[in-house]
Amino acid sequence: MKFGYLLIVAEHDSIDYLNLAYALAISIKNTQKPGYDQVALVVDNKEKLNSLKSSWVFDHVIEWKEEIFWDGRSWMDQLSPFDATVCLDVDMLFMRDYSHWVDYFLENCDLYVANKSYTYRGELIYDAYYRKSFIKNHLPNLYSFYTFFKKNSNLVNEFFDLGRHIIKNPIEFTNTFLTEHKPKILGTDEAFALSAKILDITDQIAYPLEFPRVVHMKPMIQNWPWPADCWSDHIGFYLNKKGQLKLGNYQQQDIVHYVEKDKISTEMINILEEIVWKK
Amino acid sequence: MTQGILIYAHNSRSVDYALMAAISGGLAKKHLNVPATLVTDKFTVDWMKASQIYEMANEIFENIIVVEKPQTNNNRKLYDGTDNAVVPFINSNRSSAWELTPYERTLLIDSDFLIFSDRLSEYWKVDSDLLISESINDIYDNSRLRYHDRYISDVGIKLYWATTVMFTKNTKTKIFFDLVTFIRDNYQYYADTYRFDSKQFRNDIAFSIAKHILNGFEQNNAEDLPPILTLLDRDILYSVDKKLTVLISPMLDSNFCAASIVDTDIHIMNKQSIIRNKDALMELI
C-alpha cells in the first residue's frame, strides 16, 4: 500500500504557506525512514515551486485551485495520490522517526483523527480556551492537523463527504448543531468533529491512543500562570544545525505545531536544507 | 546492598535543625528499619552537646559526620502559623550526599520530614538509580499550592522536591550530584537560562535542573518517589500522641481547623512547631 504525507497550501496575503510546507517536507525527509517519507503537495500554482532550492522534497505536486484557503483541506481524501495518507497542517515540523505510528494506522484503521495535543513541556493539553465551542456543544475533541485515512473506504467517504457539506453550509450546521456556543468560523476541526458526531463514529476514528503526539503551541494552552498572546514572547525557539529543536528549556521529540508562522525564517530553512542535502 | 538514611543539619540562630534531625532520623530508623547517618558541623555539634541531645543523637545515628559549615547569604521567610521571621537557610552542601553517604543505597531526607510508615521501604529495590519526589500534596487541598510549587519558574521545568531523594551510589549518580554542585556554583547562569529567581538557593531547583539535563532536556515520566504530604508553615503541628493533631489554615490566615494524621509520612514546614512538640515526638521513636 502506497503511503505518504499530504500538505495542502493556498494563497495568502501575508503568510507564505508554501515555505512552511517546504520546511515540513524537508523535516519529513530528514527524519522518516524510506517508504514513510513520501510527500505530496497541493498548491494553487505549480510555478511557485521554482523559488525553492530543493522542490524535489515534494514527491508529488498537485495543482488545484477549486477552493480558497483552508476549505481545501476538506478535500484531502480526493486530492491525495496515496492509498493511505496522513494529511498535516503545514505549520509543523517533524523531530524524529514516527513511522511506527503509521504502521499501526495502516494495520488497524481506515480513518484516524488526532484527538490530543501536548504543551512544549510534554503535558497533555486540556484546552478550555480555544475549544469552547467543542466543550459547550459536546463535540469530540478532534484536531485535523494529523488525519490518517485510506482511500476506497465507505467510512472515509462518508466522513469527508459530510465534512465538506458542513464546510459549505456553515450557517445551517452552526444554527442546528452548535447552538450552545457558536464558533466565529466553522473550520476544519469543527467540521470534522461535527461530522464524526453526526455519523456517530467517534469511537472508531478517535479512540484513545498514545499517538500521534503533537505539541500544540497556541499560547493560551501552555499551562502558564498568565495569559499570553504570543508564545515566542516568553520562550525561545532554538533549532540547531542537527535539526534538533528546543522550545524554552525543553528538547522536542514530538511533532511540533509551532503556530507562529514567522518561526520559519530563511535561516531555519537553510539549516534544514543542509541536513537534507547531506542525507 | 547496604541501605540507610542520610540527614543534613546545620543549625541557624533561629532553628534547631539538629533536634529536628534527631527526631526525623529516629522516626525514619524505626519505621524503615535501616540505620541513619547525620551530616552536621562543629558548631551544631557543640550546640547538641550544650543542649544535651548529643548522646541521644549518638544512639539514633550510627554515624555523625562533621563537615565544614557552609557559608550562606541565603535567607528565607519562615512562618510559624500567623507569625513569621526571616532566618538564615544553610542548605548549600546537599550535593555532597554522594561523597558522604556510607550506604550503597541512600534515602536522603530533610530534617522536617517525619516518617511514620514503611511506605518508602518499597523503593529500596526499585530498579532506578535515582528517585526524587515528583510533587508535594498539601494536607488541606492543592489549591493552596502556588504555581512555583509545581514549576521552577513561569515557563520553566517541572519542580521536583529534594525533601526525599533515594539514590544508589554509582557512576551515574555521581554525575548527577556533580551536576547539582555545578548548578549550585553557577546558580545565576542557570537562573537566567531557566528563568527562575536566584535570590535564594534551593536544592529543589538544582536537583530538578540536573534531572532535566540528564534526561536529555525532556520531562521524565518514569517512576519517582511518591508525592510528599505537606503541612505548610502557615499551619501548625498542635499536639502529638498516637496521632498528630494539626491546625490547618485553609485561607492561610488566622482561622484554623483541626485535623488528625495517623501512620502517614509528613513534611512539616512549620519547624518551630516540631520543636515545640519535641518531647512527645521523641516518645514515638
Side-chain angles (χ1 to χ4, degrees):
Chain A
M1 185 175 280
K2 204 171 148 198
F3 167 78
Y5 291 98
L6 180 68
L7 315 180
I8 301 173
V9 299
E11 183 74 41
H12 189 277
D13 290 344
S14 56
I15 299 165
D16 185 354
Y17 279 102
L18 176 60
N19 203 44
L20 308 187
Y22 180 53
L24 173 55
I26 301 174
S27 76
I28 289 171
K29 293 290 186 206
N30 286 345
T31 54
Q32 306 309 293
K33 64 185 184 190
Y36 299 83
D37 64 348
Q38 294 287 295
V39 181
L41 174 74
V42 177
V43 63
D44 54 4
N45 180 1
K46 274 186 179 181
E47 295 291 309
K48 289 178 185 166
L49 270 73
N50 295 337
S51 64
L52 306 175
K53 282 185 196 158
S54 300
S55 58
W56 56 264
V57 295
F58 299 113
D59 303 280
H60 304 264
V61 178
I62 300 144
E63 196 170 56
W64 187 79
K65 47 183 107 175
E66 301 299 313
E67 299 290 337
I68 53 155
F69 204 52
W70 291 126
D71 289 357
R73 285 195 305 173
S74 62
W75 294 85
M76 62 175 79
D77 58 320
Q78 309 222 348
L79 292 168
S80 176
F82 307 114
D83 302 320
T85 304
V86 169
C87 183
L88 299 165
D89 277 10
V90 295
D91 50 347
M92 311 218 281
L93 288 172
F94 276 33
M95 294 291 119
R96 64 180 166 95
D97 184 9
Y98 310 115
S99 52
H100 53 296
W101 299 350
V102 174
D103 284 337
Y104 174 87
F105 293 133
L106 288 171
E107 187 140 334
N108 296 286
C109 307
D110 282 349
L111 175 63
Y112 192 87
V113 186
N115 46 80
K116 284 178 191 162
S117 60
Y118 297 84
T119 70
Y120 70 107
R121 291 162 163 155
E123 301 155 319
L124 188 62
I125 287 172
Y126 299 96
D127 179 0
Y129 185 82
Y130 297 107
R131 299 223 141 196
K132 291 188 181 74
S133 175
F134 285 74
I135 294 166
K136 298 233 167 123
N137 295 301
H138 306 289
L139 294 182
N141 190 36
L142 302 190
Y143 294 96
S144 61
F145 52 46
Y146 187 106
T147 304
F148 171 88
F149 59 92
K150 286 178 188 158
K151 281 209 165 163
N152 305 320
S153 152
N154 287 338
L155 177 77
V156 171
N157 294 340
E158 278 187 47
F159 175 78
F160 285 109
D161 284 347
L162 180 54
R164 274 189 286 277
H165 191 60
I166 293 166
I167 293 261
K168 290 284 174 207
N169 300 280
I171 296 167
E172 290 78 357
F173 278 91
T174 299
N175 287 340
T176 309
F177 294 101
L178 307 178
T179 52
E180 297 300 317
H181 188 282
K182 293 184 180 178
K184 283 182 191 153
I185 297 166
L186 202 159
T188 314
D189 286 354
E190 286 85 356
F192 279 14
L194 201 44
S195 179
K197 186 177 178 181
I198 292 168
L199 294 173
D200 195 18
I201 56 169
T202 306
D203 291 346
Q204 283 171 265
I205 69 162
Y207 53 88
L209 284 177
E210 289 304 308
F211 52 88
R213 288 181 63 99
V214 177
V215 172
H216 196 355
M217 288 310 294
K218 279 195 173 173
M220 288 295 285
I221 50 177
Q222 300 306 316
N223 289 343
W224 286 335
W226 22 254
D229 288 333
C230 187
W231 61 260
S232 58
D233 286 348
H234 306 288
I235 58 169
F237 177 97
Y238 312 105
L239 185 72
N240 71 15
K241 292 205 163 182
K242 292 179 184 165
Q244 297 163 331
L245 177 66
K246 262 195 196 155
L247 294 176
N249 301 122
Y250 282 87
Q251 191 75 50
Q252 301 301 312
Q253 301 291 350
D254 300 324
I255 297 172
V256 174
H257 186 21
Y258 48 83
V259 176
E260 290 179 14
K261 322 299 185 212
D262 62 350
K263 289 294 148 291
I264 301 304
S265 60
T266 307
E267 189 186 357
M268 301 299 163
I269 293 281
N270 288 346
I271 290 171
L272 294 169
E273 282 176 337
E274 285 205 15
I275 298 166
V276 82
W277 292 338
K278 287 176 188 164
K279 216 181 163 202
Chain B
M1 185 182 276
T2 57
Q3 299 164 345
I5 295 146
L6 192 67
I7 304 177
Y8 281 69
H10 297 291
N11 276 12
S12 66
R13 284 191 308 278
S14 339
V15 183
D16 191 347
Y17 283 99
L19 177 60
M20 292 196 325
I23 294 168
S24 175
L27 289 169
K29 191 174 150 184
K30 176 181 174 183
H31 291 282
L32 299 181
N33 203 24
V34 292
T37 289
L38 176 69
V39 178
T40 186
D41 58 82
K42 178 183 172 302
F43 303 101
T44 303
V45 168
D46 289 346
W47 169 254
M48 288 163 80
K49 287 175 179 166
S51 62
Q52 297 176 339
I53 63 163
Y54 189 65
E55 245 181 63
M56 180 191 64
N58 267 300
E59 282 174 28
I60 291 168
F61 296 109
E62 67 169 3
N63 308 290
I64 295 180
I65 300 172
V66 179
V67 299
E68 194 100 334
K69 187 172 187 173
Q71 298 297 309
T72 186
N73 296 319
N74 239 10
N75 288 301
R76 69 170 170 174
K77 188 189 264 189
L78 276 186
Y79 279 86
D80 176 9
T82 50
D83 299 333
N84 69 71
V86 176
V87 299
F89 187 32
I90 305 161
N91 65 339
S92 60
N93 61 344
R94 197 71 60 89
S95 60
S96 64
W98 192 94
E99 302 285 349
L100 296 176
T101 184
Y103 312 113
E104 289 166 302
R105 189 144 169 101
T106 302
L107 175 62
L108 172 65
I109 60 173
D110 280 359
S111 58
D112 57 359
F113 182 66
L114 306 185
I115 291 178
F116 291 99
S117 79
D118 62 354
R119 189 180 180 200
L120 289 172
S121 291
E122 294 169 26
Y123 294 86
W124 293 117
K125 290 197 164 57
V126 167
D127 185 20
S128 178
D129 295 321
L130 179 79
L131 298 163
I132 309 179
S133 279
E134 56 166 347
S135 60
I136 58 171
N137 277 339
D138 182 352
I139 191 167
Y140 176 70
D141 183 296
N142 280 352
S143 63
R144 293 198 307 174
L145 299 181
R146 301 157 305 165
Y147 190 83
H148 291 176
D149 291 324
R150 294 191 288 128
Y151 300 98
I152 68 169
S153 63
D154 287 358
V155 296
I157 61 173
K158 178 180 163 65
L159 180 70
Y160 285 82
W161 286 78
T163 308
T164 57
V165 178
M166 189 178 277
F167 64 95
T168 302
K169 194 167 180 169
N170 60 24
T171 46
K172 276 190 195 169
T173 52
K174 178 160 188 355
I175 292 168
F176 175 83
F177 281 96
D178 285 350
L179 182 53
V180 172
T181 306
F182 187 81
I183 292 164
R184 179 199 67 192
D185 295 345
N186 298 278
Y187 204 57
Q188 187 57 53
Y189 167 81
Y190 283 95
D192 293 342
T193 309
Y194 285 79
R195 313 271 184 90
F196 61 84
D197 184 353
S198 62
K199 207 160 49 188
Q200 180 192 100
F201 174 74
R202 281 187 69 187
N203 283 300
D204 302 323
I205 290 179
F207 277 59
S208 299
I209 294 172
K211 188 172 165 65
H212 181 72
I213 291 173
L214 292 180
N215 196 50
F217 298 92
E218 289 176 57
Q219 180 61 45
N220 181 356
N221 294 320
E223 183 178 28
D224 269 303
L225 290 180
I228 300 162
L229 184 68
T230 297
L231 188 72
L232 302 183
D233 57 359
R234 299 289 197 108
D235 304 328
I236 296 167
L237 173 60
Y238 180 71
S239 67
V240 177
D241 43 49
K242 284 181 184 165
K243 61 183 189 299
L244 306 186
T245 300
V246 297
L247 299 177
I248 300 169
S249 174
M251 306 301 289
L252 302 172
D253 56 14
S254 55
N255 296 311
F256 292 89
C257 62
S260 291
I261 304 161
V262 186
D263 301 336
T264 305
D265 305 343
I266 183 157
H267 180 208
I268 298 179
M269 286 180 157
N270 182 335
K271 293 157 196 2
Q272 298 302 347
S273 72
I274 297 177
I275 305 291
R276 280 196 295 273
N277 287 280
K278 63 179 190 290
D279 294 333
L281 286 166
M282 288 291 190
E283 290 286 315
L284 299 178
I285 293 173

